[in-house]
Amino acid sequence: MSRVYNFSAGPAALPETVLKQAQEEMLDWRGSGMSVMEMSHRGKAFLSIAERAEADLRELMAIPDRYKVLFLQGGATAQFAMVPMNLLRGKDLADYINTGAWSKKAIAEAKRYCRVHRVADTSEEGFTRAPAQEELSLSPGAAYVHYTPNETIHGVEFPYVPETGAVPLVADMSSSILSRPLDVTRYGLIYAGAQKNVGPAGLTLVIVREDLMGKPMAGTPTLFDYEVQAKAGSMYNTPPTYAWYLAGLVFQWLKGLGGLSAVGEINARKAQALYAAIDGSDFYHNPVEPGSRSRMNVPFTLADPALDPVFLAEAADAGLVTLKGHRSVGGMRASIYNAMPEEGVQALIQFMAEFERRHG
Ligand SMILES: *Cc1c(COP(=O)(O)O)cnc(C)c1O
């Protein structure tokens, strides 16, 4: 068996130790005689898995009791609709910061439910930076302010948490959750599709302040009502049990590494090394303003785009895969989530230097 360094943006690499543990427990989960996939979600065994996962996530992120943690389906994309459905609470206006492809999708969906005010928009600059706090023209009457702390496609990350006063802040953390410590109390709601930094696809995490629930707009499907899901322990219907279990294994792995401050330091080192390699060469280029560069997704272009396919093919031969950039941005993208070891980033840096020597 040989495993590659997988730089996929999502679904993304998972920690090898987690996959091995899942493999060991595949046929017989701790003497139950069955796989987690075969268990009733209402049985004692799965409930213990579910509770443990939530407790570990609460510990890792220091989530206060007044926030509910939901394990849902539908991806971040379902949240693009569920957020306005649940958080408008009688209002007709929401503020959105537009910093890239994912913000744009969230805005388009929200417009089906309310008026959207773009409090800042970097589209005309090609989505190459996060706007500063002073640039945010917040509306006093907005039900909430939505932003994307890390734009997975453009490789833009906010270096700060927007200050929104009494208006709840909502964050799509699909590609940055658990990548570094954060202060949950700054947010009204955090959501994240699991397949980047948490676990397999099919699971969506929602962390929501209790007082924001309970006033869904008329017509909201029962399943999409946060309060219904909170009261049902995310089991109003059958939850994504296996993805929930695997996410739990990832949470334990993160605790074993020393929690989010330790993980954040590793991630900072990985990103710093890769950006230094890009900036130190005339052959590679990253278009993002240095203060807004993502620690998780690093897009870069080659001086000669005609070499793109050669780069991808030779990288794959060296065991470095899924480096092709998003079609809307072009070039390359290295996603270096928690599960990408430092050795993987070093191997990429070394390959890039060699490639430049041969083709630059
Ligand atoms: C991947 C991604 C999404 C889409 O997630 P799905 O789970 O496919 O719906 C949304 N927002 C961000 C920031 C992402 O990285």
Side-chain angles (χ1 to χ4, degrees):
M1 184 198 70
S2 84
R3 301 232 338 135
V4 291
Y5 287 122
N6 178 8
F7 293 90
S8 172
L14 284 162
E16 195 168 307
T17 54
V18 163
L19 294 176
K20 281 193 171 139
Q21 187 178 345
Q23 181 182 41
E24 271 163 31
E25 297 178 338
M26 175 63 77
L27 296 183
D28 174 11
W29 183 81
R30 304 188 195 172
S32 65
M34 59 177 87
S35 166
V36 173
M37 272 182 269
E38 303 168 299
M39 287 176 181
S40 163
H41 57 294
R42 310 223 181 262
K44 246 170 84 176
F46 186 75
L47 288 179
S48 75
I49 291 169
E51 281 162 18
R52 177 76 193 268
E54 179 176 338
D56 285 339
L57 180 64
R58 282 184 177 277
E59 189 183 326
L60 278 166
M61 294 180 71
I63 302 172
D65 287 345
R66 64 179 189 284
Y67 287 78
K68 294 290 183 197
V69 177
L70 309 178
F71 292 78
L72 306 180
Q73 304 190 49
T77 305
Q79 295 310 310
F80 293 167
M82 283 174 71
V83 164
M85 280 177 169
N86 284 272
L87 295 201
L88 282 170
R89 295 170 301 143
K91 295 196 173 173
D92 176 39
L93 175 68
D95 278 354
Y96 277 73
I97 308 179
N98 187 23
T99 51
W102 291 115
S103 303
K104 239 167 100 176
K105 287 209 163 156
I107 289 168
E109 189 69 6
K111 279 182 165 173
R112 305 182 66 220
Y113 303 97
C114 63
R115 289 180 297 132
V116 167
H117 170 59
R118 285 184 181 74
V119 299
D121 190 329
T122 57
S123 56
E124 292 196 346
E125 299 155 68
F127 295 130
T128 49
R129 68 182 186 93
Q133 174 76 43
E134 304 78 66
E135 294 174 69
L136 308 180
S137 64
L138 301 169
S139 350
Y144 59 87
V145 181
H146 179 285
Y147 85 120
T148 311
N150 184 66
E151 285 282 357
T152 320
I153 291 173
H154 292 89
V156 171
E157 187 166 6
F158 276 73
Y160 70 102
V161 179
E163 180 53 64
T164 58
V167 181
L169 179 62
V170 175
D172 174 0
M173 287 198 192
S174 295
S175 52
S176 52
I177 193 166
L178 295 170
S179 66
R180 60 163 93 186
L182 84 172
D183 179 0
V184 172
T185 66
R186 299 286 303 275
Y187 300 88
L189 187 146
I190 292 166
Y191 64 89
Q195 68 274 21
K196 276 99 187 216
N197 219 7
V198 176
L203 170 70
T204 313
L205 296 179
V206 175
I207 300 164
V208 54
R209 219 173 65 207
E210 268 169 356
D211 62 286
L212 299 177
M213 303 190 304
K215 284 189 199 134
M217 75 170 28
T220 299
T222 311
L223 188 66
F224 292 176
D225 180 339
Y226 292 136
E227 189 177 51
V228 167
Q229 285 287 14
K231 284 191 168 147
S234 304
M235 298 190 192
Y236 180 75
N237 71 332
T238 315
T241 49
Y242 197 74
W244 192 330
Y245 154 75
L246 258 173
L249 297 185
V250 171
F251 300 154
Q252 286 186 24
W253 173 73
L254 291 170
K255 282 174 69 176
L257 290 178
L260 296 194
S261 46
V263 170
E265 279 169 28
I266 299 169
N267 285 332
R269 278 204 300 271
K270 280 158 35 183
Q272 214 164 28
L274 186 48
Y275 284 116
I278 292 167
D279 291 344
S281 127
D282 292 329
F283 187 74
Y284 300 105
H285 176 69
N286 168 281
V288 180
E289 212 173 70
S292 305
R293 284 172 163 180
S294 168
R295 290 186 184 190
M296 295 283 102
N297 311 97
V298 183
F300 60 93
T301 51
L302 313 188
D304 177 7
L307 285 171
D308 286 3
V310 185
F311 182 94
L312 290 167
E314 292 189 8
D317 285 342
L320 310 165
V321 307
T322 338
L323 281 160
K324 193 171 163 53
H326 191 270
R327 57 194 180 279
S328 64
V329 174
M332 311 297 152
R333 172 176 48 172
S335 294
I336 49 174
Y337 301 117
N338 291 343
M340 174 57 64
E342 290 190 90
E343 304 83 73
V345 175
Q346 287 306 332
L348 174 61
I349 291 169
Q350 209 172 3
F351 169 79
M352 287 167 69
E354 278 164 23
F355 188 86
E356 181 177 357
R357 260 198 301 281
R358 280 183 284 115
H359 298 279

